[in-house]
Amino acid sequence: MTTPVYQNFINGHFLKNQSGETFAVKNPATDEVIYHVEVADAFVQNAAIESAKQGFATWSAMAPIERSRILLKAVELLRARNDELAKIEVLDTGKPWQEAECVDVQTGADVIEYFAGLAPAQVGQQQMVGEDFYYTRKEPLGICAGIGAWNYPLQIACWKSGPALAAGNAFIFKPSEETPLGAIKLAEIFIEAGVPAGVFNVVQGAAEVGQWLTQSADIKKVSFTGEVGTGKKVVASAAGSLKDVTMELGGKSPLLVFDDADISQAVSAAMLGNFYTQGEICTNCTRIYVHKNVYQQFIDELKARTEQNIIAGDPMDPEVNFGALISKNHHDLVMGYIDKGISEGATLLTGGKALSPESAPNGYFVAPTVFTDCSDDMTIVKEEIFGPVMSVLVFEDEDDAIRRANDTHLGLAAGVFTKDIKRAHRVIHQLQAGICWINSYGNSPAEMPVGGYKQSGIGRENGIETLDHYTQTKSIYVGMTDIESPF
Ligand code: NAD
């Protein structure tokens, strides 16, 4: 059976490349190639820039409320096509249908809707200076670029393009080479909704295409989601043309469970924050610090629920709640971390092995894994694994728990479980992380700004402030009096 070949999406339609170069995309749950994609060669790259220039001219000249109406139409189309789009995400990522069906498309659409609503509300300032005055305009940056990771492909494309387009920019998006299809569907939806051709282009490929985006002097900003190491390369390369950057990078986030916490709720949070999307979520609380008084109760319930309630298998099966990792490489990387955990002396509470479920025997599955007796210096406690591997640690004293939680170069997220309201806020205020939860974990509504402290990121996505990151302020001084000049 021949598989489809997708071209780059430029200027409102598919554009064939000249190099003929393509890459294959596999379904992680079956290890089968499901389609091929053409790489964005120099011809496609030039076309992307030229069409984005045209698109920007048209789009930025529109009244914000007109842009808003068009984006809201795109939101309607995204929601109407939820199931078709969710299926693409399942086949590309290996995540369970039961997640994609209600999260991926919906949370992407929410963010575009949120920024579409804000677009007409963006205002400048005006202030008198004696008889003269100045005013400011919030102007779009021009052509912006987005580079995405593979864990939430469509959602990432929406989270980046939503504020960019609402503010009047043109956008060139490069999805991860592991999951390139969702962004193409979004591009088609934008066109159908009435977004002018060239305003949202999709270029395909791996690091080289990403590097081109970061280097191009025609691109004024790059919003990147991916690993810390790649993020550093992107920032270094963007510096060549002094581009603005937003960096959404990795994490090794702590969850602190105090002895007055609702332990079942804390276990739910720990499981969600380690096993949802089979552990491939940047904000995951992969370091769980549990107070010694409730440690045994916590790990007993955690072990029982992990062993009883997780169903791995064909991700399209609506009963399945635990999918396959993105690739064989990533699977082997995660298994390597598990081996390291064992060799460095952690105790395997559950999991620790590859899985071959009956309904998806060739998929890249790793069992939900929990290590106990962990210490802060173990590799599994220090490094982001980006798989279903949880490390549980014990603490006795609040200050000590905070110090250990902060002892990392990363600072994406953090959580606290306690019924003591004063302690909850006191502790969370001291945690060095950009996204924090109290008696909750993982929720990320469009209204809430998200991003990392320390090496987990620069800038924010979502929330009102993000619109500012896609505009520049022009100040205009108006002389109402004669110029005083010594010349
Ligand atoms: P990655 O860094 O390997 O790749 C991310 C993207 O960068 C891909 O599109 C890739 O093709 C591109 N790329 C690779 N090298 C590049 C270069 N030199 N210049 C420009 N682009 C380049 O990350 P990944 O494996 O796709 O995703 C997993 C990582 O993403 C994890 O570390 C995870 O924590 C992080 N992540 C962060 C967030 C967040 O919001 N903070 C969200 C999701 C994922």
Side-chain angles (χ1 to χ4, degrees):
M1 201 177 77
T2 55
T3 57
V5 182
Y6 291 97
Q7 297 170 346
N8 293 272
F9 195 94
I10 309 292
N11 204 31
H13 53 78
F14 288 101
L15 181 67
K16 192 167 173 44
N17 70 7
Q18 289 186 340
S19 67
E21 200 188 336
T22 63
F23 61 93
V25 177
K26 281 185 169 183
N27 177 346
T30 62
D31 188 40
E32 282 167 2
V33 173
I34 44 177
Y35 58 91
H36 288 80
V37 179
E38 289 192 358
V39 174
D41 58 5
F43 168 73
V44 170
Q45 293 172 6
N46 287 335
I49 295 289
E50 287 315 310
S51 81
K53 283 181 184 166
Q54 300 291 322
F56 176 68
T58 314
W59 187 240
S60 61
M62 279 186 189
I65 202 154
E66 207 177 331
R67 290 201 295 264
S68 174
R69 266 185 226 122
I70 292 171
L71 292 174
L72 289 173
K73 177 72 187 160
V75 169
E76 203 181 304
L77 293 170
L78 278 165
R79 295 216 172 102
R81 295 200 197 150
N82 182 74
D83 288 7
E84 171 207 337
L85 298 168
K87 186 174 175 194
I88 288 171
E89 297 301 82
V90 173
L91 300 183
D92 272 9
T93 63
K95 69 173 64 185
W97 165 260
Q98 63 165 247
E99 290 183 14
E101 189 257 340
C102 61
V103 173
D104 292 59
V105 188
Q106 302 296 328
T107 54
D110 284 353
V111 166
I112 299 179
E113 185 173 36
Y114 175 75
F115 286 108
L118 284 178
Q122 256 207 326
V123 289
Q125 302 169 318
Q126 181 274 334
Q127 192 176 18
M128 298 307 296
V129 188
E131 288 177 48
D132 294 353
F133 67 96
Y134 77 88
Y135 66 96
T136 61
R137 283 161 53 86
K138 291 277 186 190
E139 296 189 347
L141 301 171
I143 306 173
C144 301
I147 300 175
W150 42 255
N151 59 341
Y152 279 79
L154 180 67
Q155 186 209 61
I156 290 173
C158 292
W159 283 23
K160 294 189 186 306
S161 61
L165 266 53
N169 299 282
F171 207 69
I172 302 177
F173 186 71
K174 189 197 87 61
S176 165
E177 63 276 24
E178 312 270 9
T179 55
L181 191 48
I184 298 176
K185 294 292 163 189
L186 177 63
E188 290 176 332
I189 283 173
F190 277 143
I191 290 294
E192 193 179 331
V195 174
V199 173
F200 183 77
N201 293 324
V202 178
V203 292
Q204 304 281 9
E208 313 77 58
V209 179
Q211 280 162 1
W212 160 68
L213 286 170
T214 62
Q215 282 162 4
S216 167
D218 290 310
I219 293 172
K220 304 302 174 205
K221 176 187 172 86
V222 61
S223 175
F224 173 82
T225 299
E227 288 177 6
V228 175
T230 319
K232 288 178 184 173
K233 289 184 198 159
V234 168
V235 173
S237 173
S241 52
L242 281 180
K243 277 183 190 44
D244 192 0
V245 292
T246 298
M247 293 284 129
E248 294 289 343
L249 309 177
K252 191 73 195 177
S253 302
L255 177 70
L256 275 52
V257 181
F258 286 91
D259 56 358
D260 63 348
D262 180 327
I263 297 302
S264 289
Q265 286 287 302
V267 169
S268 295
M271 289 179 71
L272 272 173
N274 278 274
F275 303 144
Y276 203 71
T277 317
Q278 55 286 331
E280 295 167 329
I281 296 187
C282 53
T283 50
N284 272 357
C285 47
T286 45
R287 295 183 292 142
I288 311 274
Y289 290 91
V290 184
H291 192 275
K292 72 169 187 331
N293 293 348
V294 289
Y295 180 73
Q296 196 58 47
Q297 185 190 349
F298 181 88
I299 61 169
D300 287 349
E301 183 171 338
L302 177 63
K303 179 174 161 61
R305 286 173 57 182
T306 301
E307 289 174 357
Q308 283 159 24
N309 299 346
I310 289 186
I311 306 166
D314 173 5
M316 281 306 293
D317 176 346
E319 295 298 311
V320 162
N321 60 18
F322 189 82
L325 296 181
I326 188 69
S327 63
K328 176 80 172 73
N329 269 350
H330 190 55
H331 170 277
D332 294 351
L333 194 87
V334 173
M335 288 306 299
Y337 273 111
I338 291 173
D339 291 344
K340 239 181 198 147
I342 295 167
S343 68
E344 289 180 10
T347 303
L348 198 53
L349 181 73
T350 186
K353 57 182 191 303
L355 291 179
S356 182
E358 215 174 293
S359 58
N362 300 322
Y364 317 128
F365 292 84
V366 171
T369 298
V370 179
F371 280 109
T372 56
D373 300 320
C374 298
S375 58
D376 295 337
D377 58 351
M378 287 177 177
T379 309
I380 53 166
V381 178
K382 290 168 87 108
E383 293 182 13
E384 183 185 48
I385 300 173
F386 219 56
V389 183
M390 182 193 313
S391 298
V392 186
L393 304 105
V394 193
F395 76 90
E396 294 186 23
D397 159 69
E398 180 180 306
D399 289 339
D400 190 46
I402 293 168
R403 186 192 54 75
R404 292 166 64 197
N406 286 335
D407 186 18
T408 164
H409 65 290
L410 300 171
L412 190 59
V416 173
F417 269 77
T418 174
K419 288 188 186 134
D420 178 341
I421 190 168
K422 287 185 184 161
R423 172 154 60 196
H425 295 285
R426 181 174 67 230
V427 170
I428 219 87
H429 292 178
Q430 293 175 77
L431 292 178
Q432 296 159 354
I435 315 168
C436 294
W437 289 280
I438 294 174
N439 296 333
S440 179
Y441 208 87
N443 284 343
S444 194
E447 300 89 328
M448 186 171 95
V450 287
Y453 278 21
K454 301 198 245 183
Q455 291 189 27
S456 287
I458 301 173
R460 294 293 175 268
E461 288 191 321
N462 300 346
I464 289 177
E465 69 182 83
T466 295
L467 214 46
D468 281 338
H469 296 310
Y470 280 99
T471 56
Q472 50 196 340
T473 302
K474 177 177 280 175
S475 294
I476 301 150
Y477 187 97
V478 181
M480 302 292 286
T481 51
D482 287 345
I483 294 174
E484 280 177 33
S485 171
F487 308 114

